[in-house]
Amino acid sequence: MWRFRLTLEHGKYAIIVDENIINITLEEAFNEQGAKALAKELTEIINNFNQQKILILGNLLKLPGATPEAFAVSNKFNEWLNTQNLVAKALVINSPAIKAIDQQRVPSKEVQHIAYFDNEADALNWLKKYS
């Protein structure tokens, strides 16, 4: 007998919280369901900060892309994030195409204090200036 498990979520993520730094690593392509799962988990984590200062380190080095629906979820999440005490966000990315698509499809990030890096060490050093 064959059994199939259909998983709607696409995209892998890992979240590590170290004091007020939320370190998020994204891998594989995200669809809407994967983006919603990530947004839900991040919302729960950020709500536990109780409006304390938040710093985010996002590693997108292994993110090949996302569906338009996933970018829409990201935009909605970042609209909410703008109402929280986000101080700075460091994004590690080496794909100019992914960066450009993200900037176009997630306009809610325009008001955020974001810096882009090609490695996590430099990104973390930059973030620590704000902790």
Side-chain angles (χ1 to χ4, degrees):
M1 176 193 311
W2 287 88
R3 291 188 180 181
F4 293 97
R5 181 173 172 252
L6 180 61
T7 302
L8 297 178
E9 293 178 16
H10 290 283
K12 292 181 181 179
Y13 62 87
I15 302 170
I16 298 170
V17 179
D18 184 13
E19 295 183 15
N20 66 332
I21 298 176
I22 302 171
N23 188 330
I24 308 157
T25 302
L26 305 181
E27 294 184 12
E28 300 179 3
F30 274 75
N31 67 359
E32 179 180 16
Q33 290 79 13
K36 282 181 176 179
L38 173 60
K40 181 179 185 232
E41 191 164 340
L42 285 171
T43 300
E44 291 171 5
I45 289 168
I46 292 168
N47 280 334
N48 287 329
F49 273 74
N50 296 317
Q51 287 295 322
Q52 293 176 17
K53 188 165 45 171
I54 300 166
L55 303 169
I56 293 179
L57 171 61
N59 185 328
L60 311 178
L61 292 175
K62 294 183 179 179
L63 178 71
T67 64
E69 296 82 10
F71 280 112
V73 170
S74 178
N75 190 56
K76 184 175 180 181
F77 169 77
N78 278 279
E79 286 174 353
W80 171 81
L81 184 59
N82 291 340
T83 68
Q84 304 305 302
N85 197 7
L86 176 67
V87 175
K89 185 186 287 188
L91 297 178
V92 182
I93 188 167
N94 60 5
S95 169
I98 300 291
K99 179 181 172 183
I101 292 168
D102 184 63
Q103 289 172 329
Q104 178 188 28
R105 298 223 175 224
V106 189
S108 56
K109 287 183 182 178
E110 290 176 2
V111 298
Q112 297 174 1
H113 183 54
I114 298 178
Y116 295 90
F117 300 89
D118 61 6
N119 66 80
E120 263 196 32
D122 289 344
L124 189 56
N125 285 335
W126 179 79
L127 273 181
K128 286 184 177 180
K129 293 189 299 189
Y130 298 97
S131 57

